[in-house]
Amino acid sequence: MDVQTLRWFLSLCDTENMRDTAALERVNQSTLSRALARLEAELGTELFHRHGRRLAVNRFGALFRDHAARAVGELDVARRRIDALANPGTGLIRLGFLYSVGRWLVPEILRDYRAAIPGIRFELHQGFGRDLYAWLDHGDIDAALVTPPPEGANARWHLLREQQLCIALAAGHPLAEVPDLTLGDVRDEPFIAFAPTTDLRRVIDALCREAGFEPVIAFESEEIATMRGLIGAGLGVGVLPRPAVLEHDDPVYRPLGPSQRRPIGLAWNPAPAQTPASARFIEHLVPGERRRT
């Protein structure tokens, strides 16, 4: 039993004639007759009364017709919905992103892409790096704006932006205006730190060790926005990526060395087949990616 056979069966119910259905469906009568015979054998009963060349739906055929019509209708709806989701011009792209890029990079990329492809739709998912890579691995999202993948991850990653890492202090802090401020200069200050589960915590701990001290942690958080607020309120200092958009109550940002930067890029999992919509989006941000895959 397949969809084509069900369509032929429904056509026979309408025409009640093998020759007419064969002409409508553009199939020869012998093929149509064999398909009907296989369907009836599979169901274990005849579906039509035979009156010469005329077919009349019997009670079993009438019962099966209702279910077959619903099944074919549902499959047609599913096909249309899949086509709409996958279409590179009108489809759906499931995009994940770090909380910290939601106010600058995400709007920029969505605005630029929708200017080029107006009919495209996005389904957005915020998360931490570990969440985003897990979602990519499980096929829950198509791509993510995130820091580089951890070792052993299946995802590919392409650099899009870099953020300068800075010492962050409250605007009224005595060290805020010290020229050439270094990490060593804030060694005795309470630190507002990233939680140990974050990638940046490992990076910043290493920078502090290189500067010859272990920071005294006053507060820990996984969210950059929370840390910006605590530091801006004078509750400690920290190391943060300089945001692209500054808020009125933001702390003062004093850059570390030029090599101390936080990379942000596009990650995607090449293992499952991409929909045309997501493949086009990835190629837009990573030119030549489709040719490599």
Side-chain angles (χ1 to χ4, degrees):
M1 190 183 304
D2 55 49
V3 178
Q4 185 60 72
T5 298
L6 294 180
R7 293 188 190 279
W8 290 344
F9 164 74
L10 292 171
S11 180
L12 282 169
C13 291
D14 291 337
T15 67
E16 297 187 332
N17 187 286
M18 192 73 68
R19 183 185 60 190
D20 292 348
T21 288
L24 286 171
E25 299 294 332
R26 298 183 179 180
V27 63
N28 62 57
Q29 290 187 53
S30 59
T31 299
L32 185 60
S33 180
R34 287 194 298 270
L36 177 59
R38 287 194 300 270
L39 178 61
E40 290 180 325
E42 185 173 349
L43 294 173
T45 185
E46 291 187 348
L47 301 173
F48 296 91
H49 297 299
R50 272 74 171 174
H51 304 287
R53 293 184 178 181
R54 181 175 173 271
L55 299 175
V57 179
N58 63 23
R59 63 190 180 103
F60 299 112
L63 173 65
F64 187 67
R65 176 180 56 196
D66 294 340
H67 291 279
R70 285 199 296 272
V72 170
E74 284 295 319
L75 289 171
D76 286 342
V77 169
R79 186 182 299 277
R80 289 194 296 272
R81 292 182 66 185
I82 289 172
D83 288 344
L85 289 176
N87 187 295
T90 60
L92 177 71
I93 298 166
R94 301 169 301 165
L95 180 66
F97 59 93
L98 296 169
Y99 289 97
S100 58
V101 304
R103 298 198 62 180
W104 59 283
L105 186 57
V106 174
E108 174 189 329
I109 286 177
L110 267 58
R111 182 181 62 248
D112 291 348
Y113 193 67
R114 293 195 68 180
I117 315 293
I120 205 69
R121 292 175 293 134
F122 284 92
E123 179 182 287
L124 301 178
H125 302 264
Q126 285 183 300
F128 300 110
R130 62 181 182 274
D131 302 322
L132 298 173
Y133 282 109
W135 296 340
L136 282 174
D137 197 45
H138 296 151
D140 296 327
I141 57 176
D142 301 311
L145 299 169
V146 65
T147 49
E151 187 175 351
N154 296 320
R156 289 183 183 167
W157 184 87
H158 177 78
L159 177 67
L160 296 176
R161 301 285 191 278
E162 287 186 311
Q163 291 180 293
Q164 174 69 57
L165 290 181
C166 299
I167 301 171
L169 313 92
H173 195 285
L175 297 175
E177 301 302 324
V178 172
D180 301 321
L181 189 70
T182 68
L183 268 179
D185 295 326
V186 297
R187 63 188 306 153
D188 297 325
E189 300 291 326
F191 264 69
I192 309 298
F194 286 95
T197 53
T198 61
D199 293 334
L200 271 178
R201 174 62 180 271
R202 292 189 288 274
V203 171
I204 294 165
D205 282 351
L207 290 175
C208 291
R209 285 194 297 271
E210 289 176 12
F213 72 98
E214 195 78 22
V216 176
I217 308 298
F219 297 97
E220 292 179 333
S221 176
E222 289 187 321
E223 297 186 11
I224 290 180
T226 300
M227 296 174 65
R228 287 166 67 176
L230 294 174
I231 294 171
L235 299 177
V237 304
V239 176
L240 297 177
R242 180 181 175 84
V245 179
L246 293 174
E247 304 289 345
H248 72 280
D249 56 350
D250 252 331
V252 173
Y253 294 94
R254 304 299 303 278
L256 294 172
S259 64
Q260 304 303 331
R261 306 182 74 84
R262 181 200 193 201
I264 302 291
L266 183 75
W268 68 99
N269 188 348
Q274 296 284 345
T275 66
S278 59
R280 185 174 184 176
F281 174 70
I282 293 168
E283 187 179 22
H284 175 81
L285 294 176
V286 188
E289 173 55 27
R290 183 174 297 178
R291 292 191 291 275
R292 288 197 295 273
T293 56

